Amino acid sequence: MAKFCTKCGKKLEDGEVCSCTKKATKKETVKEEKVEKAVKEEPTTVVTASPSAANDYVNNYMEVAKGIFTHPIDTMKKFGQSEHFTLGLIMIAINCLVTILFVYLGFKELTSNMGEFSSIFSMGYGYGDVEVPMEVFIKIFVMMAGGFATTAAMLYVIAGPILKTNADIKQSFALVGVCSVLTTITTIVALICMYISTQIMFIVLLVCGVLYLSHLYHGFLNSTEVEENKIGYTYVASVAVATFVVVYLLPKILF
């Protein structure tokens, strides 16, 4: 009895395998070999869960906040680098916000301590509930940020283009940002002391300023190739210009 292929209908002899079946089998074999080869050649990808950028900034900030008091030189060497430029800007911004909080609460404390004078102003002139306009806080933020930015820019300009060293503008901002963390924390301490003793508050602020200038100097010393005999003049010039901008120039422009 004649047999026929179930796929193409071709007449087959006993035991004969249709050629269409052979071709299909060959194609499937080739396809499987290609897939297997592609799988072998495909590089193995290791998927790891990396923390978000926000977590990185928070962790780095906390490390700076601790290290700037316990290991200040090592902390400035590690985080006062160009790759931490964005972190430096964040640290500067946080310092400016804390300064605004200090000014706001300080003004509130001042007005609340006016006692009888406050009551007289309130009844007679309507000054009892004086509120600082938001515009003032914005100007304070700009003034503080301008001071830090001027310091960083001057450190770069004098050490880089003028003295022809390896100074980098991003590195300067990162270094200033690291040092600003110290003033952020001491300003918070001063804010707490404000409710305890005004004298202690001013002492904390004074120590804060001295530590900031000292840390910035040593950070600048370790991050540039400025000759040691010249670095004092370079540093003083940078701080002097920044002080002039913050104390005289910016207040005159903003207020």
Side-chain angles (χ1 to χ4, degrees), residues 11-29:
K11 186 178 179 179
L12 303 172
E13 298 294 333
D14 290 339
E16 182 182 2
V17 179
C18 183
S19 59
C20 73
T21 303
K22 292 180 179 179
K23 291 180 180 179
T25 303
K26 186 177 181 180
K27 288 181 179 179
E28 290 177 358
T29 303

Side-chain angles (χ1 to χ4, degrees), residues 97 100-101 103-104 130-142 255:
L97 292 174
I100 289 175
L101 178 64
V103 172
Y104 174 75
V130 177
E131 292 291 337
V132 181
M134 180 59 66
E135 180 185 358
V136 173
F137 294 126
I138 295 175
K139 290 179 178 180
I140 292 174
F141 184 95
V142 172
F255 297 97

Side-chain angles (χ1 to χ4, degrees), residues 102-170:
F102 179 82
V103 172
Y104 174 75
L105 294 180
F107 179 80
K108 285 289 187 182
E109 183 69 9
L110 177 64
T111 55
S112 66
N113 288 335
M114 290 179 67
E116 295 181 1
F117 293 103
S118 179
S119 300
I120 293 173
F121 290 154
S122 178
M123 291 185 295
Y125 302 98
Y127 294 149
D129 297 323
V130 177
E131 292 291 337
V132 181
M134 180 59 66
E135 180 185 358
V136 173
F137 294 126
I138 295 175
K139 290 179 178 180
I140 292 174
F141 184 95
V142 172
M143 188 167 66
M144 292 298 300
F148 286 121
T150 303
T151 301
M154 289 303 302
L155 290 175
Y156 162 71
V157 169
I158 296 178
I162 295 179
L163 297 180
K164 308 296 182 183
T165 69
N166 65 332
D168 180 86
I169 185 64
K170 290 185 176 181

